[in-house]
Amino acid sequence: MTAIHLPTIMLGSFAALLVFSVFFALDWVRDRHRFELLMWSMSFFSAAIGFILLAQRTGSYSFLTISLGNSLALSGLAFVWVGLRLFDGRRLHIAAAFVGPMLWIVLTAGFAEIGNSVNIRLCIYSILVAVYSMLIAWEVWRDKVGETLPSRLVVAIWFFLHGAIYLLRIPFSFVWPVVAGGDTRVLQPFWYSIITFELFVHIIVGGFSFFVLMKERMQWEHKQAAETDALTGLANRRAFFSRLDRLTSEDLGRGALLYMDLDHFKRINDQHGHAAGDMVLSSFSALLSREAPEGCAVSRLGGEEFAAFLPNTGEVDALAFGNRLRWVLGQARFKVDDGEISVSVSIGIASGCALTSDELLKRADRALYRSKAGGRDRVTLWTPEAMALPA
């Protein structure tokens, strides 16, 4: 048996929670569209108020301390869960998120045998904390599509362990029951001291973990912005050639590079406006992304120029892919203010083994030139024989 001054632990937790709440609120004020920051600020604030109420509890039941205090602390976990779903752009379940805190109030305030028994309350609360902790761990562990944040796994494990530790309180409370009251004269079992200290540490680590996740998300977004074409969402020129260098190096040049140019694109902008031109670019980008085989690299190189590298693809398949793009685009009709327009694309293809990205691009560029010189709306494969013929 060991003595633990629960009010001191509660006050220390209150201070830490309040600091995190203020910092998340300040971050949200600077970046109003990130509502997850607001949710996390509310999470720490709710838990802070809950802990200051819990610091006032005595040996007897009180609605203000036992029911409301614990419910607010539990609401902190609910707000964390809601914030994480906002963080990853998932559907919110606001009503479901706060079932636990409401259930706690109903059970402790509505049933005297629960409200007056510290060990029954401990078991119920441990289950609720464990459920929320596991839900949070699951949300953190589920990576957003296309994104990898290094800290996700660590944070998920941390919350999972916190939930597991709280579940241990249930068998421990039967073997070494907890004594009601938070006074220093009350001796509690040794395990209660350890788990109470773990809760304090969890608050500190949990708060910093969300700052780390947000920092990694912003770094990822900046990287995406630097490597992505703003209009089409495809990789930009720098990102494409970086990946092309890597793919040609890994595959020793096995693959095909398609260099594409939308025909008479300037005419579309001049006659129908830049909005029509942007619509055409976005539509072709969507077509390219949809039709491209898995594992290939696609990009808008700039203006009306696009590229796609198909690893481990031979000339026949590359020609078939290029002609399908050309055919599907040719069937499309684009609505403009004065009617409809059709668009065509010219494509040059280079394929071969042990070719560098520069060599592939030069060959594909020459093949594209042949397509445009030959009347546009066609696919040309680079071969020594084809390039030797007059345009």
Side-chain angles (χ1 to χ4, degrees):
M1 309 284 282
T2 183
I4 179 172
H5 193 210
L6 287 176
T8 301
I9 296 295
M10 297 303 170
L11 287 173
S13 299
F14 163 77
L17 289 163
L18 194 59
V19 168
F20 282 126
S21 176
V22 170
F23 276 105
F24 275 116
L26 291 174
D27 280 351
W28 176 71
V29 170
R30 288 191 292 264
D31 202 350
R32 293 291 183 97
H33 77 283
R34 297 187 186 274
F35 285 102
E36 60 268 31
L37 292 171
L38 178 61
M39 290 297 105
W40 290 337
S41 176
M42 294 174 65
S43 162
F44 287 104
F45 183 75
S46 173
I49 300 303
F51 273 79
I52 201 65
L53 291 176
L54 288 170
Q56 313 304 316
R57 65 184 175 184
T58 60
S60 58
Y61 169 79
S62 166
F63 175 83
L64 192 63
T65 58
I66 300 301
S67 294
L68 184 59
N70 280 299
S71 179
L72 287 172
L74 198 60
S75 294
L77 291 175
F79 275 118
V80 168
W81 185 59
V82 172
L84 283 169
R85 293 189 70 84
L86 282 169
F87 183 69
D88 284 339
R90 297 192 174 97
R91 182 180 178 184
L92 299 183
H93 302 287
I94 301 297
F98 293 93
V99 167
M102 295 305 299
L103 179 62
W104 172 258
I105 289 180
V106 170
L107 292 176
T108 54
F111 299 89
E113 58 272 25
I114 295 177
N116 293 322
S117 174
V118 62
N119 286 286
I120 293 177
R121 296 199 311 260
L122 184 146
C123 292
I124 295 174
Y125 197 75
S126 296
I127 292 173
L128 292 174
V129 169
V131 168
Y132 278 104
S133 296
M134 300 298 179
L135 283 173
I136 291 169
W138 170 246
E139 289 295 338
V140 175
W141 182 77
R142 287 200 299 170
D143 210 352
K144 187 177 180 180
V145 176
E147 175 195 73
T148 300
L149 302 184
S151 294
R152 277 189 184 269
L153 180 59
V154 176
V155 177
I157 292 174
W158 179 259
F159 273 90
F160 176 84
L161 290 176
H162 179 65
I165 289 172
Y166 254 69
L167 286 179
L168 288 176
R169 302 200 319 169
I170 298 174
F172 286 166
S173 66
F174 285 98
V175 180
W176 299 289
V178 174
V179 182
D183 195 274
T184 52
R185 293 169 295 179
V186 177
L187 295 178
Q188 300 290 3
F190 75 94
W191 64 264
Y192 193 72
S193 301
I194 295 173
I195 292 181
T196 302
F197 179 73
E198 184 275 338
L199 173 61
F200 179 74
V201 174
H202 176 75
I203 290 171
I204 304 299
V205 176
F208 279 114
S209 69
F210 295 122
F211 279 116
V212 171
L213 284 174
M214 183 56 68
K215 178 183 177 182
E216 291 178 349
R217 165 62 62 77
M218 294 177 70
Q219 289 175 338
W220 179 82
E221 289 177 347
H222 291 156
K223 183 175 183 292
Q224 288 295 106
E227 297 181 349
T228 303
D229 176 65
L231 175 64
T232 64
L234 297 180
N236 61 21
R237 188 181 191 92
R238 184 180 69 175
F240 175 76
F241 284 111
S242 175
R243 187 177 179 192
L244 180 61
D245 287 337
R246 186 171 64 253
L247 288 173
T248 53
S249 174
E250 292 172 352
D251 298 333
L252 298 176
R254 290 190 295 271
L257 176 64
L258 284 76
Y259 199 177
M260 297 159 274
D261 189 286
L262 297 178
D263 298 326
H264 304 298
F265 184 75
K266 186 177 183 300
R267 185 186 303 170
I268 296 174
N269 278 334
D270 292 342
Q271 294 181 357
H272 305 288
H274 288 280
D278 289 348
M279 175 182 62
V280 171
L281 291 172
S282 297
S283 297
F284 182 71
S285 300
L287 167 64
L288 186 57
S289 298
R290 184 176 66 250
E291 297 292 335
E294 185 177 355
C296 76
V298 296
S299 169
R300 180 190 176 198
L301 299 182
E304 66 273 26
E305 295 182 352
F306 295 81
F309 180 72
L310 285 61
N312 298 311
T313 301
E315 295 177 353
V316 174
D317 290 337
L319 279 168
F321 175 66
N323 278 306
R324 172 156 181 80
L325 288 176
R326 187 182 61 81
W327 182 84
V328 173
L329 180 65
Q331 300 303 305
R333 294 296 178 268
F334 299 92
K335 292 184 178 181
V336 293
D337 292 339
D338 51 355
E340 293 183 338
I341 60 173
S342 60
V343 181
S344 63
V345 62
S346 299
I347 302 175
I349 299 177
S351 176
C353 295
L355 293 177
T356 65
S357 58
D358 288 339
E359 291 171 328
L360 277 171
L361 181 63
K362 288 176 181 177
R363 292 184 178 187
D365 185 38
R366 290 183 62 189
L368 173 61
Y369 173 78
R370 287 284 176 170
S371 290
K372 299 183 81 67
R376 294 182 170 85
D377 190 21
R378 64 188 61 209
V379 180
T380 302
L381 174 68
W382 186 97
T383 63
E385 297 77 19
M387 297 304 105
L389 296 174

